[in-house]
Amino acid sequence: MNYDSHYRAAEFHEMAAHAHRAAAAQHGKQDHLTGNEHSRQAMEHATKAQQATLEAFAQSAELAKQHSK
């Protein structure tokens, strides 16, 4: 279960990175509307990635706490 939460967080980080790269490419082509949409998506993915990372960290801390007893 703990592995799944870390994997989910990693997927969101990858999606955010992909959207950032796509936004940069579109801005480089002077396609600012598409670039802005990719930037918006990147921020959404980054926010989800942060939330998933915090959840995974909390689960890991709880698991470590249980194992140390």
Side-chain angles (χ1 to χ4, degrees):
M1 180 165 144
N2 193 27
Y3 173 78
D4 291 338
S5 60
H6 286 280
Y7 186 78
R8 184 171 168 249
E11 284 182 328
F12 282 125
H13 282 289
E14 286 296 324
M15 288 189 296
H18 174 73
H20 280 293
R21 288 189 297 271
Q26 294 303 319
H27 280 295
K29 294 178 183 176
Q30 302 301 314
D31 186 356
H32 295 292
L33 286 175
T34 303
N36 287 339
E37 175 61 19
H38 285 297
S39 294
R40 185 193 61 75
Q41 290 174 356
M43 287 302 298
E44 285 179 11
H45 292 310
T47 299
K48 288 178 183 179
Q50 180 187 20
Q51 291 169 347
T53 299
L54 292 174
E55 289 172 17
F57 177 76
Q59 288 177 0
S60 291
E62 183 61 32
L63 188 60
K65 184 178 173 182
Q66 290 174 358
H67 280 32
S68 68
K69 288 183 179 181

